[in-house]
């Protein structure tokens, strides 16, 4: 009888234990203005996050450019990670303050592609992104940061901040193999067709540089080894800066975001920003050194 009871108890426990015992990570995607195709990118970011099963991603859109920003008051503190896909008009002062409070209290942030173009005149935001470009950034924004013989180099020479060569597939070069975001990923892999940001400037408070890429001058690049994926040194905050992912004209024609490497970095970086850990295995369709890998439907293959 006792044995039967034990079996029944075990069966009950198994039946009521969910397959994944973790609560989904709550993510908030901020968008609504961008010199990029934000109408597609913010939905693709949401799809990638939600399809992973690890996140529930909400969206907060601002008014259109030039519109009434006064009602834009997302509740940052309701979320484990805030994903910025925004490059536009300044937020209301209270929203700036709420964002800083969230970040400085140890919040998680993902800076995605042209989000690092935003708010050139907002000093604290520039510390949160570490490096930014365009919007009249120049030597007053801080030095250029690039690698010479693999060593981080700050260059204070005058000149504009932010440029890129022609879109192409290009190799990613690992600069860290132990950080949770990149642990287990190959040292070098071929990224899907994308822009490569270069000549970025800022306070350059990079914490862990994860990947760089060579901005080939023959393709219109800086001719330097440029930082592309890194974390930011900003108090208790966990900030993941992902310069990859220039959005294409439609979700179906969007190679930079359809790249399995991009999606993997977004998911691992967002999980780390939210929790400080990465629980995701390396996907079996991850790009190799020679060959990019595209997920046209933004879904990872089953393990
Ligand atoms: Zn772009």
């Amino acid at each position: 009888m006792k044995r039967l009871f034990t079996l029944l108890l075990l069966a009950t426990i198994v039946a009521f234990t969910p397959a994944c015992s973790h609560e989904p990570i709550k993510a908030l995607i901020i968008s609504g203005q961008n010199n990029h195709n934000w109408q597609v990118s913010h939905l693709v970011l949401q799809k990638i996050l939600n399809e992973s099963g690890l996140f529930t991603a909400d969206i907060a859109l601002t008014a259109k450019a030039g519109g009434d920003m006064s009602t834009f008051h997302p509740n940052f503190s309701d979320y484990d990670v805030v994903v910025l896909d925004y490059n536009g008009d300044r937020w209301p002062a209270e929203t700036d303050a709420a964002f800083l409070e969230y970040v400085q209290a140890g919040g998680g942030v993902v800076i995605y592609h042209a989000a690092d173009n935003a708010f050139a005149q907002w000093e604290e935001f520039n510390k949160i992104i570490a490096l930014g470009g365009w919007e009249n950034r120049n030597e007053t924004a801080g030095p250029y940061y690039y690698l010479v013989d693999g060593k981080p180099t700050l260059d204070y020479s005058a000149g504009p901040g932010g440029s890129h060569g022609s879109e192409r597939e290009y190799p990613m070069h690992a600069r860290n193999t132990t950080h949770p975001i990149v642990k287990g990923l190959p040292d070098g892999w071929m990224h899907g067709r994308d822009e490569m940001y270069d000549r970025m400037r800022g306070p350059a408070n990079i914490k862990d540089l994860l990947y760089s890429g060579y901005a080939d001058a023959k393709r219109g690049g800086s001719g330097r080894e440029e930082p592309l994926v890194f974390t930011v040194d900003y108090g208790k905050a966990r900030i993941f800066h992902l310069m990859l992912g220039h959005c294409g004209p439609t979700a179906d024609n969007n190679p930079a975001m359809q790249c399995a490497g991009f999606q993997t970095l977004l998911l691992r970086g967002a999980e780390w920003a939210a929790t400080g850990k990465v629980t995701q295995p390396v996907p079996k369709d991850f790009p190799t050194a020679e060959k990019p890998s595209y997920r046209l439907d933004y879904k990872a293959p089953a393990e």
Side-chain angles (χ1 to χ4, degrees):
M1 192 61 195
K2 194 175 167 196
R3 192 184 173 91
L4 181 64
F5 177 77
T6 307
L7 280 172
L8 278 171
L9 185 67
L10 277 173
T12 310
I13 289 168
V14 169
F16 287 94
T17 303
C20 174
S21 57
H22 299 283
E23 287 288 308
I25 295 167
K26 292 176 75 176
L28 179 67
I29 298 165
I30 307 279
S31 194
Q33 293 182 35
N34 209 309
N35 61 327
H36 286 66
N37 189 0
W38 66 266
Q39 292 89 342
V40 168
S41 61
H42 79 283
L43 294 175
V44 166
L45 292 169
Q46 184 186 43
K47 186 172 172 68
I48 296 167
L49 291 170
N50 285 347
E51 288 286 354
S52 73
L54 280 174
F55 299 87
T56 52
D58 291 344
I59 289 167
L61 298 181
T62 64
K64 299 280 161 55
D68 175 15
M69 296 292 284
S70 67
T71 58
F72 182 65
H73 294 288
N75 208 347
F76 298 109
S77 58
D78 283 351
Y79 294 91
D80 303 310
V81 58
V82 172
V83 180
L84 295 179
D85 177 22
Y86 182 83
N87 176 23
D89 296 343
R90 281 298 294 265
W91 299 335
E94 316 86 80
T95 303
D96 285 1
F99 180 66
L100 291 184
E101 193 182 347
Y102 165 81
V103 178
Q104 290 168 357
V109 184
V110 174
I111 312 294
Y112 154 68
H113 196 59
D116 65 18
N117 297 193
F119 305 141
Q121 302 305 319
W122 183 3
E123 188 180 345
E124 214 55 34
F125 183 78
N126 283 298
K127 292 183 199 161
I128 289 169
I129 61 176
L131 291 173
W134 295 274
E135 304 297 324
N136 300 316
R137 281 179 173 84
N138 59 23
E139 57 277 11
T140 64
Y144 296 115
Y145 174 114
Y146 49 85
L147 301 177
V148 176
D149 297 329
K151 291 198 183 64
T153 303
L154 300 179
D155 176 347
Y156 290 85
S157 61
S163 55
H164 59 77
S166 55
E167 288 179 41
R168 63 189 186 282
E169 293 174 344
Y170 53 80
M172 301 290 292
H173 302 144
R175 297 293 162 187
N176 184 311
T177 54
T178 57
H179 193 281
I181 297 172
V182 296
K183 200 168 182 194
L185 301 183
D187 277 356
W189 51 276
M190 190 63 76
H191 179 38
R193 182 186 165 88
D194 198 351
E195 294 171 341
M196 183 191 290
Y197 278 4
D198 61 24
R199 299 188 182 92
M200 304 294 273
R201 315 193 68 133
N205 47 323
I206 290 176
K207 190 170 195 178
D208 290 305
L209 178 61
L210 303 179
Y211 286 103
S212 63
Y214 178 63
D216 192 345
K218 291 198 231 45
R219 310 292 293 268
S222 63
R224 299 166 179 161
E225 187 74 21
E226 296 279 358
L228 299 176
V229 185
F230 51 86
T231 66
V232 177
D233 189 0
Y234 188 79
K236 289 187 288 181
R238 282 187 298 267
I239 302 168
F240 176 61
H241 190 149
L242 179 60
M243 289 192 184
L244 312 181
H246 178 81
C247 190
T250 66
D252 294 330
N253 179 11
N254 190 16
M257 299 183 85
Q258 286 169 312
C259 170
F262 170 83
Q263 292 174 39
T264 302
L265 288 182
L266 174 72
L267 291 169
R268 293 175 72 118
E271 185 183 9
W272 173 81
T275 70
K277 296 187 199 123
V278 174
T279 60
Q280 305 162 59
V282 177
K284 60 188 181 189
D285 66 341
F286 198 83
T288 66
E290 295 79 30
K291 211 167 168 299
S293 169
Y294 293 100
R295 290 176 190 159
L296 301 183
D297 59 358
Y298 304 100
K299 288 180 193 166
E303 281 164 41

